[in-house]
Amino acid sequence: MKLATWNVNSLAVRLPQVLDWLAANPVDCLVLQETKLTDDKFPQAEIEAAGYNVAFHGQKTYNGVALLSRGAPAQDVVKNIPGFDDDMARVITGTVACAGGGIRVIGGYFPNGQAPDSDKFVYKMRWLDALRAWVADELQRHPRLVLMGDFNIAPEDRDVHDPVLLAGTIHLTPEERAHFQGLIDLGLFDAFRLFDQPAKLFSWWDYRMLAFRKNQGMRIDHILVSQALKRHVEACHIDKLPRKNERPSDHAPVVLTLAE
DNA sequence: ATGCCTTGCTTAGCAAGA
């Protein structure tokens, strides 16, 4: 059983790359962020033709998320965070089939936050509060849970290429990291860190300044698993290959492998 | 220090990303 997350930075541009990647990496579940498509423009037929069911929640120009699943469609799909009034399409939740029992998947495109002194940062903090409550509720109902997506948080200094240069900047602030820890404290585990990993593995690289070539990136895309799933985790890796594509997304997919 | 790219929206220059 494989699950993955990928911020595609426009599904209109990246659809062929997503279909190519799925053909080479036929994961059971894939959540996408930054589709940037209203639902009427979502390429449902193309994705279904590739053998995937898909639930999606989009808006014009910004944000937008999708949940792809092989085999059965995701069940009990919820869009955004119930009870949190938000005009941005950032979260999609559903239960995907798995031999060992269904897995509740929450796919999120966390707010960027722009800068620590900005209104967008305030929104990011409010959004993270709401998400934490939503994940806590869902964990009560669904012990087998995965929270994955573009968190826009680098949890530790080792998750960025230059923690001294970037100290205190967006993605690294103590407030953001406290929120990441708050999710962990619900009983979740950063699947990537369940394993010894080589240094300087990242999931995002700026388009500018030849950042990818110089490996000046950050690890801000994450897969968190619940206690009930932790012992089934076989691997978690970042697939850098699509970042080498022509016209790539600035993010790479992150893939979780669970024992059946 | 700033912008460096990329995208969408709209048609040329922003806003936003991270």
Side-chain angles (χ1 to χ4, degrees), chain A residues 179-253:
Chain A
H179 271 289
F180 187 87
Q181 185 61 43
L183 293 167
I184 297 297
D185 290 344
L186 294 176
L188 299 176
F189 299 84
D190 181 349
F192 186 80
R193 293 296 181 204
L194 294 177
F195 304 92
D196 284 327
Q197 302 281 2
K200 301 201 179 296
L201 291 188
F202 306 124
S203 67
W204 171 86
W205 301 261
D206 202 306
Y207 284 123
R208 300 167 292 183
M209 301 179 294
L210 305 172
F212 182 64
R213 191 196 296 183
K214 296 187 279 191
N215 196 32
Q216 295 178 343
M218 300 187 194
R219 192 176 72 93
I220 54 176
D221 301 86
H222 306 296
I223 300 179
L224 272 46
V225 301
S226 62
Q227 177 77 53
L229 290 178
K230 182 187 174 196
R231 65 194 177 90
H232 300 293
V233 175
E234 284 188 339
C236 181
H237 78 278
I238 299 166
D239 183 2
K240 281 176 71 166
L241 270 181
R243 189 62 178 78
K244 300 178 180 177
N245 289 346
E246 227 176 279
R247 271 191 103 178
S249 169
D250 43 357
H251 295 254

